Amino acid sequence: MKHSNAWTERILTRLEKRDGDHRNAYQRDKARIMHSAAFRRLQAKTQVLGIGISDFYRTRLTHSLEVAQIGTGITAQLSKKQPELSSQLGLDEHLIESICLAHDIGHPPFGHGGEIALHYMMHEHGGFEGNGQTFRILTKLETYSPTDGMNLARRSLLGLIKYPNYIGVLTNQSLKTDKPKSHRLVKSKQWQPPKGLYLCDKKALDWVLDPFCKNDQERLKEFLVSDDGHAKTRYKSIDCSIMELADDIAYAIHDLEDAIVMSMVTRDSFELEIVKPIKTLEIPWLSSEIDILTNNLFSAMPYQRKNAIGALVNCFITAISIQKQDLFESELIDFNASFAKNYQIALGLFKSFVFNYVIRKPELQLLEYKGQQIVMALFEAFSSEPERLLPTNTAKRWIEADSANAKHRVLADYISGMTDEYATRLYNHLFLPKSGAVLDSLTP
């Protein structure tokens, strides 16, 4: 692959030169991401367990740090396993680390509950989805530049586009969207957003994809209908595929550790759902060692559990390789990182276990529902009297917005940038009579 300078270009050219700064484009991107307000707010946003239940478990910030660590591990492993191909594709640990650090930056307060709430409030105005919001923050909202967000390198942005099409295109048009009489009657299953980008951010997407030929651009946007009736895009870049694998491993293995430590899952259920099927998959090392790993995972000795978690992560990282699809002219999207089939099935077992035994747990669903209600109530309040209730800078953006869709997007940008704690305090301040303290302004 001939590495075009186009992939390290930024929308805004950096004019000033800093003496002694020898960083490459992706090292600079990492610094911009880590020093951004949106990244810092991840420390107070829900990962799996709600903020405030314990001071032990992972937040969106610690999850993102773990994804970055796994992502650089995958990149290093691929450089050893397939050195010529890795060099040909220009794999860069700083690039992958930057992408992994930023991958969750657009997630709203209260996790999935907040996402459902914002999509419900925005469904007539372009929708809301966490990945789309990530792209929007990076290309428009963050204040590193006047109008272009963090002004990241083109390849960094490409690596963060997991679903390269627009929510309006991917939405199940036959989905019943009658609004219930009360926000409390909003059913999460009916308001799941399709995973995609916002049409209002088309200019930024067009710029990112500009180096690709027309056929590659069109094929990259292709999609299939998913089980929920929404469509889902089929393709992504090599860098994005590495980030997604790192994200899946962190979710399936590291989030499992939280659940075990907090006694949210039992050894019996783990043996039934994980151990038994993995033995039948005949995966080298994993199938023969799963009993020992289980003993260590559920051991009273923390170091044994940590060792088991590390061994599992290593098992999956070393099972990844780069594959060619023979579908695209550009190697950046024609090659993807992936698991061998049995490893993919095994990781799927871990992911399903965390989802079914942790995320779907009634205690957590109650917290998610509560967060959903808080977000909808805040959105309704701000949309009723935006010039009166919004912070000055946000109200100014609302006034300057030139359409109903744009005005609603300003509200979604504002609320999605809140942490769980800030949204809760703001809700109390607005709706609870005895909560009269003046809040600091939040301007995402």
Side-chain angles (χ1 to χ4, degrees):
M1 172 182 171
K2 293 180 180 179
H3 292 291
S4 167
N5 289 334
W7 293 110
T8 56
E9 285 178 353
R10 307 177 190 277
I11 293 180
L12 295 176
T13 303
R14 183 183 178 190
L15 298 177
E16 76 278 7
K17 300 294 182 183
R18 295 174 182 169
D19 292 342
D21 187 352
H22 302 296
R23 296 174 299 169
N24 67 22
Y26 309 125
Q27 288 172 301
R28 293 192 181 99
D29 286 352
K30 175 187 171 184
R32 295 180 186 193
I33 291 163
M34 291 189 71
H35 292 292
S36 68
F39 183 74
R40 289 196 302 274
R41 289 189 190 115
L42 294 178
Q43 68 185 305
K45 290 194 178 186
T46 296
Q47 169 58 14
V48 170
L49 306 176
I51 304 299
I53 297 177
S54 164
D55 60 1
F56 166 80
Y57 54 80
R58 291 162 169 86
T59 64
R60 287 277 177 194
L61 179 64
T62 57
H63 166 75
S64 297
L65 293 172
E66 286 172 337
V67 174
Q69 185 269 323
I70 294 170
T72 54
I74 293 171
T75 309
Q77 179 282 131
L78 290 173
S79 296
K80 294 289 186 182
K81 181 188 285 189
Q82 297 169 283
E84 291 184 6
L85 187 53
S86 295
S87 176
Q88 179 182 335
L89 294 171
L91 293 189
D92 184 295
E93 288 189 22
H94 297 296
L95 168 64
I96 299 301
E97 186 176 17
S98 297
I99 291 169
C100 291
L101 287 171
H103 83 284
D104 263 356
I105 217 166
H107 276 255
F110 308 110
H112 190 57
E115 186 176 56
I116 291 289
L118 285 170
H119 183 59
Y120 171 75
M121 302 304 291
M122 288 291 295
H123 82 282
E124 294 178 345
H125 303 283
F128 181 90
E129 198 271 329
N131 297 282
Q133 192 67 19
T134 292
F135 186 71
R136 182 168 173 80
I137 288 170
L138 296 173
T139 59
K140 186 167 187 175
L141 299 182
E142 266 295 335
T143 55
Y144 194 93
S145 68
T147 59
D148 297 290
M150 291 192 201
N151 194 33
L152 300 183
R154 183 184 264 116
R155 183 162 172 174
S156 295
L157 291 173
L158 177 68
L160 281 154
I161 300 173
K162 295 168 69 172
Y163 309 102
N165 209 322
Y166 303 107
I167 286 178
V169 175
L170 302 171
T171 296
N172 177 8
Q173 300 301 328
S174 64
L175 188 69
K176 185 178 179 181
T177 55
D178 293 337
K179 284 198 170 186
K181 294 179 180 179
S182 166
H183 289 164
R184 295 181 181 181
L185 299 177
V186 172
K187 298 184 184 299
S188 62
K189 286 185 178 180
Q190 294 179 359
W191 296 98
Q192 303 269 4
K195 296 181 182 298
L197 305 176
Y198 307 143
L199 187 59
C200 59
D201 296 323
K202 180 179 184 299
K203 183 180 177 181
L205 178 63
D206 288 346
W207 180 83
V208 173
L209 302 185
D210 185 62
F212 294 134
C213 69
K214 186 176 180 181
N215 286 341
D216 277 5
Q217 290 186 33
E218 291 177 353
R219 172 160 278 179
L220 185 62
K221 295 178 181 178
E222 288 180 4
F223 52 81
L224 295 172
V225 176
S226 302
D227 293 340
D228 61 4
H230 291 314
K232 188 174 182 179
T233 56
R234 304 174 63 189
Y235 307 113
K236 57 186 66 69
S237 70
I238 175 66
D239 306 316
C240 187
S241 70
I242 293 172
M243 176 266 283
E244 277 209 301
L245 292 173
D247 192 18
D248 284 348
I249 293 171
Y251 169 80
I253 307 302
H254 284 303
D255 290 353
L256 171 66
E257 182 183 9
D258 280 358
I260 292 173
V261 170
M262 299 185 71
S263 300
M264 299 185 72
V265 296
T266 66
R267 178 165 180 160
D268 288 345
S269 61
F270 184 83
E271 290 184 339
L272 179 65
E273 302 285 344
I274 301 289
V275 176
K276 188 176 179 181
I278 279 181
K279 286 182 176 179
T280 67
L281 290 174
E282 298 182 351
I283 297 174
W285 184 81
L286 182 59
S287 293
S288 61
E289 295 293 315
I290 190 64
D291 283 328
I292 296 173
L293 289 168
T294 302
N295 287 335
N296 290 338
L297 283 172
F298 288 89
S299 168
M301 303 296 181
Y303 71 88
Q304 290 184 322
R305 184 180 62 252
K306 283 290 184 186
N307 185 60
I309 291 292
L312 283 168
V313 170
N314 181 72
C315 170
F316 286 108
I317 285 178
T318 54
I320 294 169
S321 60
I322 302 170
Q323 306 294 331
K324 184 174 173 61
Q325 302 178 92
D326 288 319
L327 294 171
F328 295 93
E329 181 179 315
S330 172
E331 293 179 337
L332 274 185
I333 42 180
D334 197 42
F335 286 93
N336 269 189
S338 61
F339 289 116
K341 185 176 180 180
N342 279 2
Y343 287 91
Q344 185 175 351
I345 294 171
L347 191 67
L349 292 171
F350 281 97
K351 288 173 65 179
S352 296
F353 184 77
V354 170
F355 181 79
N356 292 326
Y357 286 87
V358 181
I359 291 177
R360 297 303 300 173
K361 216 172 178 65
E363 298 93 312
L364 294 187
Q365 288 302 304
L366 284 170
L367 290 173
E368 192 173 280
Y369 177 82
K370 178 182 177 181
Q372 182 177 312
Q373 298 304 311
I374 289 173
V375 169
M376 287 189 290
L378 291 176
F379 199 107
E380 186 176 53
F382 289 128
S383 61
S384 68
E385 290 203 66
E387 294 180 57
R388 179 185 180 192
L389 299 177
L390 288 171
T392 303
N393 288 341
T394 309
K396 183 174 183 290
R397 290 201 297 274
W398 186 89
I399 291 168
E400 293 172 349
D402 58 3
S403 67
N405 283 359
K407 288 181 182 297
H408 278 73
R409 184 62 62 192
V410 170
L411 300 182
D413 290 341
Y414 176 57
I415 295 172
S416 68
M418 296 178 184
T419 64
D420 297 24
E421 173 63 22
Y422 186 90
T424 301
R425 285 193 288 123
L426 185 54
Y427 176 91
N428 292 342
H429 183 62
L430 280 170
F431 300 112
L432 299 186
K434 291 185 180 181
S435 180
V438 176
L439 284 166
D440 294 332
S441 175
L442 174 79
T443 307

